[in-house]
Amino acid sequence: MTITITVFERSPDGGKGLARDTRVRWALEEVGQPYKVRLVSFRAMKEPAHLARHPFGEIPTYEEEGDLALFETGAIVFHIAERHAGLLPDDANNRARAIAWMFAALNTVEPPILELGSARLLEGDKPWFKPRMPLVEDRVRGRLDQLSVRLRDADWLDGAFSAGDLMMVSVLLRLKSSGILDEFPNLAAYVARGEARPAYKRAFDAQLAVYTGKN
């Protein structure tokens, strides 16, 4: 089975592993599945060929040889985890909890983090920026506090590493440059454990190689 994913031709994150294709690469590396990459420019992302794969003109997309094409990283990682061993537990209840953590990462933890990033990137020159930022940061800290209490001193969220951890670590990585993550030592250590996984390192290096042109 040939797997192809689409990624930025020139990643706006500078090859730091924050582009969402890194999550898909990581999942594929964890389950030992090779894949091909199709590079797309920002212009090409809005053209019919790519819009047929992703109706919102984003990346990544995922295609399997045949007729399966997917978009949205949550759906793609879930599909990979269901089809290949290594990212979801065999026990039905443990499996359900791992899936719940995938949804929690994307629907509960990531939105305030994305809001923080967007505010810093796009609103720095606006008159409301300074009074608004403490409110945005407090929303992030509120979620991190809840997550920190849940994780405590465990290595992973619910037993062994799962797709839930993969998605949560990917989301928390967006906070590394903000300094906020360091306020929660157990979460910072949790992210570091994710980054130390060989599969993550291979995914990061592959994404960086596209940016640097050192494929």
Side-chain angles (χ1 to χ4, degrees):
M1 177 180 64
T2 301
I3 295 171
T4 302
I5 65 173
T6 53
V7 308
F8 286 122
E9 182 180 72
R10 192 70 174 168
S11 180
D13 76 335
K16 296 177 182 177
L18 301 182
R20 283 182 171 82
D21 65 277
T22 306
R23 303 174 184 185
V24 176
R25 293 176 184 271
W26 186 4
L28 290 167
E29 293 288 354
E30 287 284 354
V31 301
Q33 286 297 305
Y35 61 94
K36 296 181 179 180
V37 169
R38 180 186 298 113
L39 303 180
V40 291
S41 65
F42 287 106
R43 179 177 179 178
M45 287 165 59
K46 308 306 177 185
E47 294 177 347
H50 187 71
L51 291 172
R53 303 183 191 98
H54 196 310
F56 303 107
E58 304 289 345
I59 63 97
T61 63
Y62 171 101
E63 297 165 77
E64 289 180 4
E65 192 172 14
D67 61 356
L68 179 63
L70 296 173
F71 62 99
E72 292 295 331
T73 54
I76 295 169
V77 172
F78 182 46
H79 171 75
I80 293 168
E82 280 205 310
R83 181 156 292 192
H84 307 283
L87 284 174
L88 288 176
D90 293 330
D91 176 79
N93 289 345
N94 293 341
R95 188 182 189 92
R97 286 194 297 270
I99 293 168
W101 279 115
M102 291 182 66
F103 279 87
L106 296 174
N107 294 345
T108 301
V109 178
E110 187 168 42
I113 293 174
L114 291 178
E115 183 184 14
L116 174 65
S118 295
R120 289 181 168 178
L121 180 65
L122 303 174
E123 300 177 15
D125 60 344
K126 307 299 182 184
W128 62 78
F129 178 75
K130 287 186 178 180
R132 180 171 180 261
M133 283 307 293
L135 301 176
V136 176
E137 291 175 349
D138 282 348
R139 282 194 286 273
V140 173
R141 290 188 176 95
R143 289 304 187 202
L144 295 190
D145 184 62
Q146 293 168 322
L147 184 62
S148 176
V149 169
R150 175 60 178 79
L151 182 65
R152 297 185 182 179
D153 60 353
D155 284 346
W156 308 113
L157 290 168
D158 198 302
F161 177 85
S162 75
D165 295 295
L166 186 153
M167 296 306 294
M168 190 67 76
V169 169
S170 296
V171 165
L172 295 178
L173 279 166
R174 293 183 172 276
L175 287 173
K176 284 189 68 174
S177 63
S178 73
I180 295 177
L181 187 64
D182 295 330
E183 298 173 20
F184 302 86
N186 66 331
L187 295 184
Y190 170 65
V191 170
R193 280 191 292 277
E195 291 180 289
R197 293 182 69 83
Y200 175 81
K201 291 180 179 180
R202 291 193 296 271
F204 180 93
D205 290 345
Q207 202 257 7
L208 178 62
V210 172
Y211 182 81
T212 60
K214 295 179 179 179
N215 289 346

PDB file of all heavy atoms in Angstrom, residues 159-191:
ATOM      1  N   GLY A 159      -1.724   5.177  30.899  1.00  0.00           N
ATOM      2  CA  GLY A 159      -0.950   3.957  30.691  1.00  0.00           C
ATOM      3  C   GLY A 159       0.149   4.143  29.667  1.00  0.00           C
ATOM      4  O   GLY A 159       0.928   5.099  29.738  1.00  0.00           O
ATOM      5  N   ALA A 160       0.203   3.262  28.682  1.00  0.00           N
ATOM      6  CA  ALA A 160       1.258   3.319  27.672  1.00  0.00           C
ATOM      7  C   ALA A 160       1.024   4.465  26.685  1.00  0.00           C
ATOM      8  O   ALA A 160      -0.099   4.972  26.549  1.00  0.00           O
ATOM      9  CB  ALA A 160       1.317   1.981  26.914  1.00  0.00           C
ATOM     10  N   PHE A 161       2.078   4.873  26.017  1.00  0.00           N
ATOM     11  CA  PHE A 161       1.985   5.899  24.974  1.00  0.00           C
ATOM     12  C   PHE A 161       0.947   5.493  23.942  1.00  0.00           C
ATOM     13  O   PHE A 161       0.867   4.333  23.537  1.00  0.00           O
ATOM     14  CB  PHE A 161       3.346   6.062  24.297  1.00  0.00           C
ATOM     15  CG  PHE A 161       3.349   7.043  23.163  1.00  0.00           C
ATOM     16  CD1 PHE A 161       3.521   8.395  23.385  1.00  0.00           C
ATOM     17  CD2 PHE A 161       3.180   6.606  21.845  1.00  0.00           C
ATOM     18  CE1 PHE A 161       3.527   9.306  22.335  1.00  0.00           C
ATOM     19  CE2 PHE A 161       3.183   7.499  20.790  1.00  0.00           C
ATOM     20  CZ  PHE A 161       3.358   8.853  21.033  1.00  0.00           C
ATOM     21  N   SER A 162       0.137   6.471  23.509  1.00  0.00           N
ATOM     22  CA  SER A 162      -0.919   6.197  22.539  1.00  0.00           C
ATOM     23  C   SER A 162      -1.083   7.382  21.597  1.00  0.00           C
ATOM     24  O   SER A 162      -0.398   8.411  21.726  1.00  0.00           O
ATOM     25  CB  SER A 162      -2.251   5.943  23.256  1.00  0.00           C
ATOM     26  OG  SER A 162      -2.803   7.173  23.731  1.00  0.00           O
ATOM     27  N   ALA A 163      -2.017   7.240  20.666  1.00  0.00           N
ATOM     28  CA  ALA A 163      -2.341   8.344  19.759  1.00  0.00           C
ATOM     29  C   ALA A 163      -2.826   9.560  20.530  1.00  0.00           C
ATOM     30  O   ALA A 163      -2.667  10.692  20.076  1.00  0.00           O
ATOM     31  CB  ALA A 163      -3.400   7.896  18.757  1.00  0.00           C
ATOM     32  N   GLY A 164      -3.424   9.353  21.708  1.00  0.00           N
ATOM     33  CA  GLY A 164      -3.817  10.486  22.538  1.00  0.00           C
ATOM     34  C   GLY A 164      -2.623  11.312  22.972  1.00  0.00           C
ATOM     35  O   GLY A 164      -2.658  12.546  22.954  1.00  0.00           O
ATOM     36  N   ASP A 165      -1.546  10.646  23.359  1.00  0.00           N
ATOM     37  CA  ASP A 165      -0.315  11.359  23.733  1.00  0.00           C
ATOM     38  C   ASP A 165       0.317  12.022  22.524  1.00  0.00           C
ATOM     39  O   ASP A 165       0.816  13.154  22.618  1.00  0.00           O
ATOM     40  CB  ASP A 165       0.674  10.385  24.374  1.00  0.00           C
ATOM     41  CG  ASP A 165       0.170   9.827  25.682  1.00  0.00           C
ATOM     42  OD1 ASP A 165       0.008  10.607  26.635  1.00  0.00           O
ATOM     43  OD2 ASP A 165      -0.074   8.607  25.750  1.00  0.00           O
ATOM     44  N   LEU A 166       0.304  11.338  21.397  1.00  0.00           N
ATOM     45  CA  LEU A 166       0.881  11.915  20.177  1.00  0.00           C
ATOM     46  C   LEU A 166       0.212  13.254  19.850  1.00  0.00           C
ATOM     47  O   LEU A 166       0.889  14.248  19.569  1.00  0.00           O
ATOM     48  CB  LEU A 166       0.734  10.932  19.020  1.00  0.00           C
ATOM     49  CG  LEU A 166       1.396  11.299  17.685  1.00  0.00           C
ATOM     50  CD1 LEU A 166       1.750  10.031  16.910  1.00  0.00           C
ATOM     51  CD2 LEU A 166       0.516  12.193  16.817  1.00  0.00           C
ATOM     52  N   MET A 167      -1.119  13.283  19.905  1.00  0.00           N
ATOM     53  CA  MET A 167      -1.830  14.518  19.589  1.00  0.00           C
ATOM     54  C   MET A 167      -1.619  15.572  20.666  1.00  0.00           C
ATOM     55  O   MET A 167      -1.440  16.751  20.364  1.00  0.00           O
ATOM     56  CB  MET A 167      -3.315  14.237  19.402  1.00  0.00           C
ATOM     57  CG  MET A 167      -3.640  13.321  18.228  1.00  0.00           C
ATOM     58  SD  MET A 167      -2.965  13.869  16.637  1.00  0.00           S
ATOM     59  CE  MET A 167      -3.900  15.371  16.379  1.00  0.00           C
ATOM     60  N   MET A 168      -1.634  15.162  21.949  1.00  0.00           N
ATOM     61  CA  MET A 168      -1.471  16.142  23.021  1.00  0.00           C
ATOM     62  C   MET A 168      -0.086  16.764  23.001  1.00  0.00           C
ATOM     63  O   MET A 168       0.064  17.992  23.146  1.00  0.00           O
ATOM     64  CB  MET A 168      -1.745  15.488  24.371  1.00  0.00           C
ATOM     65  CG  MET A 168      -1.839  16.486  25.521  1.00  0.00           C
ATOM     66  SD  MET A 168      -3.289  17.598  25.398  1.00  0.00           S
ATOM     67  CE  MET A 168      -4.600  16.473  25.897  1.00  0.00           C
ATOM     68  N   VAL A 169       0.948  15.954  22.836  1.00  0.00           N
ATOM     69  CA  VAL A 169       2.308  16.502  22.762  1.00  0.00           C
ATOM     70  C   VAL A 169       2.432  17.434  21.561  1.00  0.00           C
ATOM     71  O   VAL A 169       3.024  18.521  21.668  1.00  0.00           O
ATOM     72  CB  VAL A 169       3.344  15.354  22.682  1.00  0.00           C
ATOM     73  CG1 VAL A 169       4.731  15.913  22.334  1.00  0.00           C
ATOM     74  CG2 VAL A 169       3.406  14.596  23.997  1.00  0.00           C
ATOM     75  N   SER A 170       1.858  17.055  20.430  1.00  0.00           N
ATOM     76  CA  SER A 170       1.918  17.908  19.242  1.00  0.00           C
ATOM     77  C   SER A 170       1.281  19.264  19.495  1.00  0.00           C
ATOM     78  O   SER A 170       1.776  20.294  19.029  1.00  0.00           O
ATOM     79  CB  SER A 170       1.206  17.214  18.069  1.00  0.00           C
ATOM     80  OG  SER A 170       1.851  16.022  17.705  1.00  0.00           O
ATOM     81  N   VAL A 171       0.188  19.281  20.239  1.00  0.00           N
ATOM     82  CA  VAL A 171      -0.494  20.532  20.575  1.00  0.00           C
ATOM     83  C   VAL A 171       0.351  21.366  21.540  1.00  0.00           C
ATOM     84  O   VAL A 171       0.542  22.581  21.349  1.00  0.00           O
ATOM     85  CB  VAL A 171      -1.878  20.229  21.198  1.00  0.00           C
ATOM     86  CG1 VAL A 171      -2.445  21.454  21.894  1.00  0.00           C
ATOM     87  CG2 VAL A 171      -2.835  19.727  20.120  1.00  0.00           C
ATOM     88  N   LEU A 172       0.882  20.739  22.573  1.00  0.00           N
ATOM     89  CA  LEU A 172       1.656  21.465  23.588  1.00  0.00           C
ATOM     90  C   LEU A 172       2.962  22.017  23.037  1.00  0.00           C
ATOM     91  O   LEU A 172       3.485  23.020  23.546  1.00  0.00           O
ATOM     92  CB  LEU A 172       1.930  20.556  24.782  1.00  0.00           C
ATOM     93  CG  LEU A 172       0.707  20.099  25.581  1.00  0.00           C
ATOM     94  CD1 LEU A 172       1.139  19.168  26.715  1.00  0.00           C
ATOM     95  CD2 LEU A 172      -0.061  21.291  26.148  1.00  0.00           C
ATOM     96  N   LEU A 173       3.497  21.378  22.000  1.00  0.00           N
ATOM     97  CA  LEU A 173       4.737  21.871  21.396  1.00  0.00           C
ATOM     98  C   LEU A 173       4.599  23.322  20.926  1.00  0.00           C
ATOM     99  O   LEU A 173       5.601  24.056  20.866  1.00  0.00           O
ATOM    100  CB  LEU A 173       5.139  20.981  20.222  1.00  0.00           C
ATOM    101  CG  LEU A 173       5.873  19.687  20.578  1.00  0.00           C
ATOM    102  CD1 LEU A 173       5.914  18.747  19.382  1.00  0.00           C
ATOM    103  CD2 LEU A 173       7.286  20.005  21.063  1.00  0.00           C
ATOM    104  N   ARG A 174       3.392  23.737  20.601  1.00  0.00           N
ATOM    105  CA  ARG A 174       3.177  25.107  20.137  1.00  0.00           C
ATOM    106  C   ARG A 174       3.466  26.141  21.232  1.00  0.00           C
ATOM    107  O   ARG A 174       3.594  27.325  20.942  1.00  0.00           O
ATOM    108  CB  ARG A 174       1.742  25.274  19.634  1.00  0.00           C
ATOM    109  CG  ARG A 174       1.440  24.474  18.380  1.00  0.00           C
ATOM    110  CD  ARG A 174       0.034  24.714  17.863  1.00  0.00           C
ATOM    111  NE  ARG A 174      -0.143  24.073  16.573  1.00  0.00           N
ATOM    112  CZ  ARG A 174       0.212  24.597  15.402  1.00  0.00           C
ATOM    113  NH1 ARG A 174       0.749  25.802  15.374  1.00  0.00           N
ATOM    114  NH2 ARG A 174       0.025  23.942  14.285  1.00  0.00           N
ATOM    115  N   LEU A 175       3.555  25.691  22.471  1.00  0.00           N
ATOM    116  CA  LEU A 175       3.773  26.612  23.589  1.00  0.00           C
ATOM    117  C   LEU A 175       5.236  26.747  23.991  1.00  0.00           C
ATOM    118  O   LEU A 175       5.563  27.565  24.856  1.00  0.00           O
ATOM    119  CB  LEU A 175       2.982  26.145  24.814  1.00  0.00           C
ATOM    120  CG  LEU A 175       1.473  26.340  24.788  1.00  0.00           C
ATOM    121  CD1 LEU A 175       0.849  25.668  25.990  1.00  0.00           C
ATOM    122  CD2 LEU A 175       1.118  27.827  24.761  1.00  0.00           C
ATOM    123  N   LYS A 176       6.116  25.974  23.399  1.00  0.00           N
ATOM    124  CA  LYS A 176       7.501  25.954  23.869  1.00  0.00           C
ATOM    125  C   LYS A 176       8.151  27.330  23.849  1.00  0.00           C
ATOM    126  O   LYS A 176       8.854  27.713  24.784  1.00  0.00           O
ATOM    127  CB  LYS A 176       8.330  24.973  23.042  1.00  0.00           C
ATOM    128  CG  LYS A 176       8.086  23.522  23.399  1.00  0.00           C
ATOM    129  CD  LYS A 176       9.080  22.607  22.716  1.00  0.00           C
ATOM    130  CE  LYS A 176      10.479  22.789  23.242  1.00  0.00           C
ATOM    131  NZ  LYS A 176      11.425  21.805  22.668  1.00  0.00           N
ATOM    132  N   SER A 177       7.896  28.089  22.801  1.00  0.00           N
ATOM    133  CA  SER A 177       8.550  29.401  22.690  1.00  0.00           C
ATOM    134  C   SER A 177       7.902  30.463  23.568  1.00  0.00           C
ATOM    135  O   SER A 177       8.478  31.534  23.773  1.00  0.00           O
ATOM    136  CB  SER A 177       8.528  29.877  21.232  1.00  0.00           C
ATOM    137  OG  SER A 177       7.194  30.061  20.774  1.00  0.00           O
ATOM    138  N   SER A 178       6.718  30.183  24.115  1.00  0.00           N
ATOM    139  CA  SER A 178       6.002  31.186  24.908  1.00  0.00           C
ATOM    140  C   SER A 178       6.495  31.275  26.342  1.00  0.00           C
ATOM    141  O   SER A 178       6.277  32.287  27.019  1.00  0.00           O
ATOM    142  CB  SER A 178       4.501  30.854  24.922  1.00  0.00           C
ATOM    143  OG  SER A 178       4.248  29.721  25.748  1.00  0.00           O
ATOM    144  N   GLY A 179       7.116  30.217  26.841  1.00  0.00           N
ATOM    145  CA  GLY A 179       7.537  30.171  28.234  1.00  0.00           C
ATOM    146  C   GLY A 179       6.462  29.669  29.173  1.00  0.00           C
ATOM    147  O   GLY A 179       6.752  29.326  30.322  1.00  0.00           O
ATOM    148  N   ILE A 180       5.224  29.615  28.710  1.00  0.00           N
ATOM    149  CA  ILE A 180       4.121  29.208  29.583  1.00  0.00           C
ATOM    150  C   ILE A 180       4.244  27.729  29.954  1.00  0.00           C
ATOM    151  O   ILE A 180       3.956  27.332  31.088  1.00  0.00           O
ATOM    152  CB  ILE A 180       2.767  29.499  28.914  1.00  0.00           C
ATOM    153  CG1 ILE A 180       2.583  31.006  28.735  1.00  0.00           C
ATOM    154  CG2 ILE A 180       1.617  28.918  29.726  1.00  0.00           C
ATOM    155  CD1 ILE A 180       1.302  31.396  28.017  1.00  0.00           C
ATOM    156  N   LEU A 181       4.680  26.912  29.023  1.00  0.00           N
ATOM    157  CA  LEU A 181       4.794  25.478  29.297  1.00  0.00           C
ATOM    158  C   LEU A 181       5.744  25.208  30.457  1.00  0.00           C
ATOM    159  O   LEU A 181       5.520  24.292  31.254  1.00  0.00           O
ATOM    160  CB  LEU A 181       5.278  24.747  28.039  1.00  0.00           C
ATOM    161  CG  LEU A 181       5.288  23.220  28.100  1.00  0.00           C
ATOM    162  CD1 LEU A 181       3.881  22.671  28.258  1.00  0.00           C
ATOM    163  CD2 LEU A 181       5.945  22.647  26.849  1.00  0.00           C
ATOM    164  N   ASP A 182       6.791  26.027  30.591  1.00  0.00           N
ATOM    165  CA  ASP A 182       7.772  25.831  31.656  1.00  0.00           C
ATOM    166  C   ASP A 182       7.190  26.075  33.037  1.00  0.00           C
ATOM    167  O   ASP A 182       7.797  25.683  34.046  1.00  0.00           O
ATOM    168  CB  ASP A 182       8.979  26.738  31.432  1.00  0.00           C
ATOM    169  CG  ASP A 182       9.753  26.379  30.177  1.00  0.00           C
ATOM    170  OD1 ASP A 182       9.744  25.186  29.807  1.00  0.00           O
ATOM    171  OD2 ASP A 182      10.348  27.284  29.561  1.00  0.00           O
ATOM    172  N   GLU A 183       6.034  26.721  33.106  1.00  0.00           N
ATOM    173  CA  GLU A 183       5.371  26.947  34.395  1.00  0.00           C
ATOM    174  C   GLU A 183       4.764  25.658  34.940  1.00  0.00           C
ATOM    175  O   GLU A 183       4.348  25.602  36.098  1.00  0.00           O
ATOM    176  CB  GLU A 183       4.285  28.014  34.245  1.00  0.00           C
ATOM    177  CG  GLU A 183       4.814  29.376  33.812  1.00  0.00           C
ATOM    178  CD  GLU A 183       3.701  30.358  33.506  1.00  0.00           C
ATOM    179  OE1 GLU A 183       2.560  30.138  33.985  1.00  0.00           O
ATOM    180  OE2 GLU A 183       3.959  31.347  32.797  1.00  0.00           O
ATOM    181  N   PHE A 184       4.721  24.627  34.109  1.00  0.00           N
ATOM    182  CA  PHE A 184       4.142  23.337  34.493  1.00  0.00           C
ATOM    183  C   PHE A 184       5.192  22.262  34.239  1.00  0.00           C
ATOM    184  O   PHE A 184       5.220  21.634  33.176  1.00  0.00           O
ATOM    185  CB  PHE A 184       2.872  23.071  33.678  1.00  0.00           C
ATOM    186  CG  PHE A 184       1.820  24.129  33.843  1.00  0.00           C
ATOM    187  CD1 PHE A 184       1.844  25.281  33.054  1.00  0.00           C
ATOM    188  CD2 PHE A 184       0.833  24.000  34.801  1.00  0.00           C
ATOM    189  CE1 PHE A 184       0.889  26.272  33.209  1.00  0.00           C
ATOM    190  CE2 PHE A 184      -0.133  24.975  34.964  1.00  0.00           C
ATOM    191  CZ  PHE A 184      -0.107  26.112  34.178  1.00  0.00           C
ATOM    192  N   PRO A 185       6.096  22.037  35.206  1.00  0.00           N
ATOM    193  CA  PRO A 185       7.236  21.144  34.982  1.00  0.00           C
ATOM    194  C   PRO A 185       6.858  19.746  34.518  1.00  0.00           C
ATOM    195  O   PRO A 185       7.571  19.160  33.688  1.00  0.00           O
ATOM    196  CB  PRO A 185       7.934  21.109  36.349  1.00  0.00           C
ATOM    197  CG  PRO A 185       7.563  22.416  36.986  1.00  0.00           C
ATOM    198  CD  PRO A 185       6.162  22.688  36.528  1.00  0.00           C
ATOM    199  N   ASN A 186       5.763  19.195  35.026  1.00  0.00           N
ATOM    200  CA  ASN A 186       5.412  17.835  34.592  1.00  0.00           C
ATOM    201  C   ASN A 186       4.950  17.814  33.145  1.00  0.00           C
ATOM    202  O   ASN A 186       5.185  16.844  32.423  1.00  0.00           O
ATOM    203  CB  ASN A 186       4.368  17.210  35.517  1.00  0.00           C
ATOM    204  CG  ASN A 186       3.011  17.885  35.481  1.00  0.00           C
ATOM    205  OD1 ASN A 186       2.909  19.089  35.213  1.00  0.00           O
ATOM    206  ND2 ASN A 186       1.964  17.136  35.776  1.00  0.00           N
ATOM    207  N   LEU A 187       4.330  18.903  32.676  1.00  0.00           N
ATOM    208  CA  LEU A 187       3.930  18.963  31.270  1.00  0.00           C
ATOM    209  C   LEU A 187       5.138  19.192  30.370  1.00  0.00           C
ATOM    210  O   LEU A 187       5.217  18.641  29.275  1.00  0.00           O
ATOM    211  CB  LEU A 187       2.894  20.059  31.056  1.00  0.00           C
ATOM    212  CG  LEU A 187       1.547  19.871  31.746  1.00  0.00           C
ATOM    213  CD1 LEU A 187       0.590  20.985  31.352  1.00  0.00           C
ATOM    214  CD2 LEU A 187       0.944  18.510  31.424  1.00  0.00           C
ATOM    215  N   ALA A 188       6.074  20.029  30.825  1.00  0.00           N
ATOM    216  CA  ALA A 188       7.297  20.239  30.042  1.00  0.00           C
ATOM    217  C   ALA A 188       8.069  18.929  29.908  1.00  0.00           C
ATOM    218  O   ALA A 188       8.595  18.607  28.824  1.00  0.00           O
ATOM    219  CB  ALA A 188       8.167  21.304  30.714  1.00  0.00           C
ATOM    220  N   ALA A 189       8.116  18.144  30.985  1.00  0.00           N
ATOM    221  CA  ALA A 189       8.801  16.850  30.932  1.00  0.00           C
ATOM    222  C   ALA A 189       8.043  15.871  30.037  1.00  0.00           C
ATOM    223  O   ALA A 189       8.658  15.058  29.328  1.00  0.00           O
ATOM    224  CB  ALA A 189       8.941  16.279  32.344  1.00  0.00           C
ATOM    225  N   TYR A 190       6.733  15.954  30.056  1.00  0.00           N
ATOM    226  CA  TYR A 190       5.883  15.110  29.210  1.00  0.00           C
ATOM    227  C   TYR A 190       6.165  15.381  27.734  1.00  0.00           C
ATOM    228  O   TYR A 190       6.344  14.452  26.937  1.00  0.00           O
ATOM    229  CB  TYR A 190       4.433  15.415  29.561  1.00  0.00           C
ATOM    230  CG  TYR A 190       3.364  14.841  28.670  1.00  0.00           C
ATOM    231  CD1 TYR A 190       3.160  13.466  28.571  1.00  0.00           C
ATOM    232  CD2 TYR A 190       2.512  15.684  27.958  1.00  0.00           C
ATOM    233  CE1 TYR A 190       2.150  12.947  27.779  1.00  0.00           C
ATOM    234  CE2 TYR A 190       1.491  15.179  27.171  1.00  0.00           C
ATOM    235  CZ  TYR A 190       1.318  13.812  27.088  1.00  0.00           C
ATOM    236  OH  TYR A 190       0.311  13.301  26.302  1.00  0.00           O
ATOM    237  N   VAL A 191       6.245  16.653  27.371  1.00  0.00           N
ATOM    238  CA  VAL A 191       6.556  17.018  25.994  1.00  0.00           C
ATOM    239  C   VAL A 191       7.952  16.543  25.617  1.00  0.00           C
ATOM    240  O   VAL A 191       8.171  16.023  24.515  1.00  0.00           O
ATOM    241  CB  VAL A 191       6.415  18.539  25.796  1.00  0.00           C
ATOM    242  CG1 VAL A 191       6.969  18.961  24.435  1.00  0.00           C
ATOM    243  CG2 VAL A 191       4.946  18.948  25.916  1.00  0.00           C
TER     244      VAL A 191
END
